[in-house]
Amino acid sequence: MIINDLEVEVLRKNNKNMHLYVLPPNGVIRVSAPQQIDDETIRLFVLTKIGWIKSQIKRYKNQTRQSSREYVSGESHYLWGRRYRLKVVEDTATTGLSIISNTLTLVIKKGTIKEKRKAIFNKMYRNELKEKIPYLIDLWQKRIGVVVSSWQIKNMRTKWGTCNIAEKRIWINLQLAKKPIECLEYVIIHELCHFIQKNHSRAFSDLMDKYLPGWQAIRKQLNDFIMDAFEEKWT
């Protein structure tokens, strides 16, 4: 569907409401709409959001992104906001990652393909998050007065975190292990506040102000951090 010279993907789902997305890295516009909604209603809905859509597209075009990772010596990689230079060592007996000073050493078998190298990194990121998340959830669910039934780590393209309010579940983006630890804490608090206030309303902002004063600065820090090729800024 073409709306105001913009191509819009329309997905028909069993939704109650329409949802609008501008997806990275190229600003693809997508509307998720209930089955019964007609095209004219969708068109009018998108037109009311034209200013926001264009600002999102511009942001993606101007956004600094890391180059695609090859997992070879000399690359820069991040852990908890700190930049490390990668050193690859080939060894027939050992596989793993270690950190000494500012160097991240990847030990692999000769001929290990890129996908397997990436999997080793993702395992490290997942393990790092598994160490940090339980403490932060326990701390903040008590302070906020909510209960998390379960949490998971997921490599997400469009969100730093998400939640199922009814089932009290939260999902944390694997990529947060690359960001400063306060960004992870911010996302957890953000999701827990959604257990009380579903939408990004004034009441939601008031909750964030109450539990994490200055959260806007942390959100900006998260947004301004150099992004991976497929990540989207938190909104």
Side-chain angles (χ1 to χ4, degrees):
M1 180 183 294
I2 303 298
I3 302 174
N4 203 31
D5 295 326
L6 297 172
E7 184 174 352
V8 179
E9 294 182 1
V10 178
L11 301 180
R12 303 282 183 177
K13 295 186 175 181
N14 295 322
N15 300 341
K16 292 183 179 179
N17 301 300
M18 282 191 288
H19 300 281
L20 174 65
Y21 307 91
V22 180
L23 302 174
N26 300 317
V28 172
I29 307 165
R30 181 176 297 161
V31 173
S32 175
Q35 298 285 357
Q36 69 274 16
I37 296 295
D38 58 49
D39 287 351
E40 180 61 16
T41 300
I42 293 172
R43 188 185 73 83
L44 293 173
F45 172 71
V46 172
L47 285 174
T48 65
K49 308 291 185 180
I50 285 295
W52 177 82
I53 291 170
K54 290 183 176 179
S55 69
Q56 292 295 99
I57 293 173
K58 182 179 179 180
R59 186 172 71 176
Y60 289 140
K61 287 181 178 179
N62 295 334
Q63 184 173 321
T64 302
R65 293 183 181 271
Q66 298 178 21
S67 58
S68 178
R69 290 290 179 264
E70 298 297 327
Y71 302 93
V72 296
S73 292
E75 283 184 343
S76 292
H77 289 263
Y78 289 83
L79 177 64
W80 299 124
R82 185 175 175 181
R83 181 171 173 256
Y84 295 91
R85 185 70 65 182
L86 178 61
K87 178 182 178 182
V88 178
V89 176
E90 294 183 345
D91 189 309
T92 58
T94 307
T95 299
L97 278 169
S98 62
I99 296 175
I100 299 177
S101 187
N102 294 322
T103 301
L104 223 175
T105 301
L106 171 63
V107 181
I108 54 173
K109 293 181 180 180
K110 185 176 181 180
T112 300
I113 62 174
K114 172 183 172 180
E115 287 71 21
K116 289 187 177 180
R117 299 182 186 204
K118 180 178 180 180
I120 295 171
F121 268 81
N122 283 346
K123 182 179 179 180
M124 176 189 70
Y125 292 134
R126 189 173 296 274
N127 288 339
E128 288 283 335
L129 286 168
K130 284 180 177 179
E131 288 185 5
K132 304 289 192 301
I133 291 173
Y135 168 77
L136 290 172
I137 287 180
D138 185 60
L139 173 69
W140 285 105
Q141 69 179 357
K142 290 176 180 177
R143 291 184 178 181
I144 296 172
V146 297
V147 175
V148 176
S149 64
S150 65
W151 58 269
Q152 294 182 19
I153 299 165
K154 187 177 181 181
N155 206 4
M156 295 181 280
R157 285 180 175 269
T158 61
K159 293 181 181 294
W160 293 115
T162 188
C163 64
N164 183 310
I165 297 171
E167 297 181 4
K168 306 301 181 186
R169 297 179 181 175
I170 67 172
W171 289 264
I172 300 296
N173 196 328
L174 180 71
Q175 304 300 317
L176 278 167
K178 302 175 184 180
K179 316 305 178 188
I181 188 66
E182 57 264 32
C183 294
L184 171 63
E185 186 171 35
Y186 158 73
V187 171
I188 287 173
I189 295 170
H190 184 114
E191 297 308 322
L192 295 184
C193 285
H194 274 312
F195 286 6
I196 301 172
Q197 293 291 335
K198 180 178 180 180
N199 300 315
H200 293 134
S201 60
R202 179 68 257 177
F204 177 83
S205 295
D206 289 343
L207 277 177
M208 292 295 295
D209 289 339
K210 177 181 178 180
Y211 294 112
L212 191 63
W215 59 272
Q216 295 93 338
I218 301 175
R219 180 180 64 181
K220 185 178 186 301
Q221 180 186 21
L222 177 59
N223 285 345
D224 289 346
F225 204 80
I226 297 175
M227 309 291 284
D228 281 359
F230 66 85
E231 291 182 40
E232 178 187 62
K233 289 187 177 182
W234 181 269
T235 57

